[in-house]
Amino acid sequence: MAERVEIIPEELALLLEALEDAAFYRDTRSRVLKSAVKRSSRRLVPDAEGTGTDVHRTKAQAYTELAIRLRRGPASPV
């Protein structure tokens, strides 16, 4: 297991802000890609929806869940 690192409140706030930003941008990117795939699939290939968008959606969810866990603090189990 990795060595524990002390994080001061200011650093934690910055980490949480970064996670929220990352989640927002990943979510936005997944929506944009999904929209582009829908548009192109109407013209080209049926059932092409979802290619490439799931990675961003999954990352956005992971970032959001991590931010929630960090806000709860060390006393709360996962």
Side-chain angles (χ1 to χ4, degrees):
M1 187 168 171
E3 185 178 323
R4 289 185 178 241
V5 177
E6 290 290 322
I7 298 175
I8 62 173
E10 291 82 10
E11 292 171 328
L12 180 58
L14 184 60
L15 283 169
L16 291 171
E17 184 179 340
L19 285 169
E20 289 169 348
D21 286 349
F24 173 79
Y25 288 112
R26 284 285 187 159
D27 185 48
T28 301
R29 185 172 180 152
S30 74
R31 290 175 195 222
V32 168
L33 287 173
K34 190 173 190 175
S35 176
V37 168
K38 277 185 181 180
R39 269 186 259 122
S40 69
S41 69
R42 283 187 217 136
R43 289 176 264 151
L44 300 173
V45 182
D47 297 333
E49 185 176 332
T51 52
T53 62
D54 293 339
V55 171
H56 297 291
R57 170 66 58 197
T58 302
K59 286 281 189 179
Q61 283 180 308
Y63 295 157
T64 300
E65 290 169 9
L66 180 56
I68 290 168
R69 281 184 30 219
L70 289 172
R71 273 202 180 87
R72 288 184 190 147
S76 299
V78 175

